[in-house]
Amino acid sequence: MNIILLGPPGAGKGTQATLLVESRGMVQLSTGDMLRAAVKAGTPIGLKAKAVMEAGELVSDEIVSGIIGEALDALPLETGVIFDGYPRTEAQAHSLDIILSERDRTLDHVIELEVDEDALVERITGRFTCATCGAGYHDKFKQPKVEGECDKCHGHDFKRRPDDNEATVRTRMAEYRAKTAPILPIYEARGIVSRVDGMSEMNEVTVAIAAILDGGSA
Ligand code: AMP
């Protein structure tokens, strides 16, 4: 099964993708994560992407579609994939069709997480992760049980994404509205879009997504 999780930044795509990886053995392909890794490693792609990402704008379609194709090539066909943060433009949606058909894969579901933008700004600007194991936290909603110590690995270093500040978040949302939301009709025409209330409790979102995947149809 291959699915796309769609929604503005902070809608919970990454969180839900991680849960699907744990519960179903699917693989999460997050272009944001892959680009951040490239920036950190200082690869040619990372050097190109860094400033664009810090401004909250979109990296070129060629770059992201290229890394998605390469990532898929490394996976066996039986492994289901969750596309998280890709596609983000109409050109990427068309590239994905080609990338999938070249690899005998089909797209089963597009799940849109619907959210309130102002609430998202609070969600995003407060989030941070453990620098050692990646566990996610939030200033207001999910502090570590022991202050300054990761619940999972007991590490003491935490980090924040450089693009999780309010000005950049607003730009990222504007990019979503202008360029990503318009790709939904492509998938609606195929009858594979489902919508989930991304503002409800995390567990409820997980249950709603599971119902869509297990229901067989959108
Ligand atoms: P994300 O982690 O999905 O919020 O992505 C962080 C940043 O990486 C975005 O604001 C973009 O600059 C870049 N990015 C991630 N995925 C894409 C994509 N599919 N197309 C273009 N830029 C992307």
Side-chain angles (χ1 to χ4, degrees):
M1 182 178 287
N2 302 293
I3 68 170
I4 296 174
L5 291 183
L6 211 68
K13 303 183 297 289
T15 304
Q16 294 300 330
T18 306
L19 293 169
L20 288 171
V21 168
E22 284 167 8
S23 63
R24 294 175 187 248
M26 297 174 81
V27 164
Q28 170 191 15
L29 293 186
S30 157
T31 40
D33 285 350
M34 292 189 268
L35 289 168
R36 276 185 288 280
V39 169
K40 198 171 167 200
T43 66
I45 284 179
L47 294 177
K48 273 191 198 158
K50 188 169 189 280
V52 179
M53 292 173 75
E54 280 173 5
E57 290 159 11
L58 293 184
V59 174
S60 81
D61 293 330
E62 292 72 23
I63 287 183
V64 287
S65 293
I67 58 178
I68 282 286
E70 278 176 26
L72 278 178
D73 285 338
L75 293 176
L77 192 53
E78 321 76 77
T79 305
V81 173
I82 308 151
F83 295 99
D84 161 13
Y86 178 91
R88 257 177 157 98
T89 64
E90 246 181 89
Q92 291 178 24
H94 292 307
S95 296
L96 180 60
D97 281 342
I98 296 166
I99 288 169
L100 289 176
S101 76
E102 281 174 352
R103 291 162 181 79
D104 293 326
R105 287 180 180 266
T106 49
L107 195 56
D108 301 286
H109 295 280
V110 176
I111 300 175
E112 188 196 16
L113 298 174
E114 294 183 300
V115 282
D116 171 81
E117 280 199 13
D118 287 322
L120 282 191
V121 173
E122 185 181 40
R123 239 194 222 185
I124 297 182
T125 53
R127 68 186 181 182
F128 61 98
T129 54
C130 171
T132 313
C133 75
Y137 296 98
H138 194 279
D139 293 328
K140 194 163 163 192
F141 308 122
K142 196 185 168 208
Q143 281 282 355
K145 292 193 183 90
V146 176
E147 197 186 333
E149 184 178 304
C150 175
D151 297 347
K152 279 198 181 160
C153 76
H154 306 290
H156 291 95
D157 290 330
F158 295 91
K159 60 180 186 182
R160 288 175 194 265
R161 282 172 46 172
D163 57 351
D164 275 353
N165 60 79
E166 178 158 359
T168 308
V169 169
R170 295 271 180 206
T171 306
R172 286 158 63 200
M173 282 175 183
E175 290 282 64
Y176 180 80
R177 252 181 278 120
K179 296 177 185 159
T180 308
I183 68 179
L184 271 161
I186 299 174
Y187 299 119
E188 265 160 358
R190 298 181 200 170
I192 56 170
V193 176
S194 305
R195 293 192 165 78
V196 168
D197 177 8
M199 298 314 294
S200 52
E201 285 294 315
M202 193 181 86
N203 291 346
E204 288 173 30
V205 177
T206 307
V207 169
I209 292 175
I212 293 163
L213 302 188
D214 295 335
S217 63

